Amino acid sequence: MGSGTSSVNENELDEVRTIEEGFKKAYSEDLKGTVEAIDKLRDFAFQLIHLDADAENELDIKALIISIGDIARVAAEKRMEQACAVSGRALGDIAFEAAGQKREPLAIKALSVLGSLALEFAGKGLNTAVKGAAESLGNCGKLSSRIKMETLVSLSEIYLMQVALKSMEKGLHDSGIVAAGFLGEVGVASAEQAIETSTLEAAVILEDLGNAAVRENSEAHAKAVIEALENLGTAVSQRGMKNILVQIAWSLEMIRVLTLERGLKGACFAAKAALESVNTAGLLDEAQNLEKIREIKEFHSLILKRS
């Protein structure tokens, strides 16, 4: 019994030492040392995730997640972009592992810290770090769809929208396009699992994102959203999800009209082509379409309140 307790205490001491070392290396701008500390903290979290879940275990893992986030913030202040990217991957890995072990509160914590960091990276113009964080958010969203953890799917979708908007605001074109693409992929993964709420949420968020891109006169972002909606429409159509197909057609039409008003010819052409691809003809009659559109707008306002 005594040796077991001693082993636990030694592990906790090792975690504390690694956290202290991580901060020290980050503040002194030691990239290699910072990355090593983040990787070690990730490994500690993995070990704990596979142990019996109790209050102490949960607190320990959350402390490790928070510490990775805090070290990443120091790295961001020092503009150590590689360390920021590694921290994003580590948090994504922890969320992924926790979700796989059905430890949803831990996955939510890791995903929340990751999403907050992604927004901070975007605010500081750290393009590579933002793209890495968006990829981790997208991968977590897709895994969560496959294992039917809808809260995690929703969280990843909302963070991806916020990251895309922040990237647009900061002129990080690559990051915004990557985030929009992953948002579409999460929607497709939800469609493949027939999770209607998450699929519809992705479509509604993409519409809002597309409209924001057009208002910012960002044709590249608008085209990325249109492509994501078209891919989502294909997935939805293959599974006969008629209501959501109507939403996607509606979203594309709203974006097309706005691009026409703003004179974004390339995006307007892309939206028109996508609309022809995502054809709802024959699926629902006009009265059903109008009823579905009313439902869609109510859902749209709920999503925007949540995000």
Side-chain angles (χ1 to χ4, degrees):
M1 183 76 178
S3 63
T5 306
S6 172
S7 172
V8 169
N9 289 342
E10 188 57 43
N11 287 343
E12 286 175 357
L13 277 172
D14 204 9
E15 288 167 23
V16 171
R17 285 192 207 103
T18 305
I19 291 166
E20 289 173 350
E21 188 70 8
F23 279 114
K24 183 180 165 187
K25 297 294 186 184
Y27 278 115
S28 63
E29 301 181 39
D30 179 343
L31 176 60
K32 185 172 180 286
T34 307
V35 167
E36 284 174 357
I38 291 167
D39 282 340
K40 201 170 177 185
L41 292 174
R42 167 193 171 279
D43 293 343
F44 284 141
F46 266 49
Q47 289 165 18
L48 292 173
I49 286 167
H50 290 272
L51 298 179
D52 292 338
D54 57 33
E56 189 178 350
N57 174 271
E58 194 104 345
L59 275 173
D60 283 350
I61 299 167
K62 285 182 177 177
L64 290 167
I65 289 166
I66 291 165
S67 297
I68 291 171
D70 288 344
I71 291 167
R73 286 184 178 91
V74 176
E77 289 293 338
K78 302 293 184 180
R79 307 201 68 79
M80 290 196 293
E81 197 156 2
Q82 191 182 334
C84 294
V86 167
S87 68
R89 276 199 303 275
L91 289 165
D93 289 346
I94 293 168
F96 208 86
E97 192 70 16
Q101 294 297 314
K102 302 287 188 278
R103 299 191 66 176
E104 190 174 36
L106 293 175
I108 288 170
K109 184 65 181 177
L111 206 58
S112 299
V113 174
L114 172 61
S116 300
L117 274 180
L119 292 170
E120 287 191 38
F121 296 160
K124 288 181 165 55
L126 302 173
N127 198 38
T128 302
V130 181
K131 284 193 287 185
E135 183 177 357
S136 291
L137 286 166
N139 287 336
C140 287
K142 288 188 282 184
L143 170 78
S144 302
S145 295
R146 288 197 291 274
I147 59 179
K148 307 282 180 78
M149 284 190 171
E150 292 182 46
T151 304
L152 287 172
V153 179
S154 181
L155 196 59
S156 70
E157 287 176 339
I158 288 167
Y159 271 124
L160 283 165
M161 177 189 75
Q162 292 175 341
V163 171
L165 288 170
K166 192 73 174 175
S167 297
M168 265 193 279
E169 180 194 317
K170 294 294 180 178
L172 303 176
H173 296 295
D174 292 351
S175 298
I177 289 166
V178 165
F182 275 112
L183 177 53
E185 287 182 27
V186 174
V188 168
S190 295
E192 287 169 350
Q193 296 299 323
I195 307 173
E196 291 210 4
T197 305
S198 300
T199 310
L200 183 54
E201 186 171 64
V204 167
I205 289 173
L206 281 166
E207 179 192 333
D208 200 56
L209 199 51
N211 290 338
V214 177
R215 284 193 294 270
E216 291 289 322
N217 289 315
S218 178
E219 195 154 36
H221 284 111
K223 283 181 174 178
V225 170
I226 290 162
E227 184 182 346
L229 278 167
E230 184 175 1
N231 292 339
L232 186 55
T234 301
V236 162
S237 179
Q238 287 168 352
R239 282 149 193 86
M241 299 166 92
K242 297 176 183 179
N243 298 351
I244 300 173
L245 197 58
V246 172
Q247 160 68 60
I248 291 165
W250 168 271
S251 297
L252 285 166
E253 177 60 12
M254 293 299 98
I255 293 168
R256 186 195 68 80
V257 169
L258 202 54
T259 56
L260 195 62
E261 288 173 4
R262 296 296 179 113
L264 300 179
K265 292 181 182 177
C268 185
F269 179 80
K272 190 176 178 185
L275 263 169
E276 288 169 5
S277 170
V278 180
N279 187 359
T280 58
L283 283 177
L284 299 167
D285 64 29
E286 191 175 348
Q288 285 175 310
N289 272 340
L290 288 171
E291 178 58 31
K292 289 302 164 197
I293 284 165
R294 273 196 291 274
E295 290 174 15
I296 283 160
K297 297 324 283 179
E298 285 172 17
F299 189 78
H300 191 278
S301 63
L302 280 173
I303 297 293
L304 294 181
K305 280 176 194 167
R306 282 170 58 190
S307 61

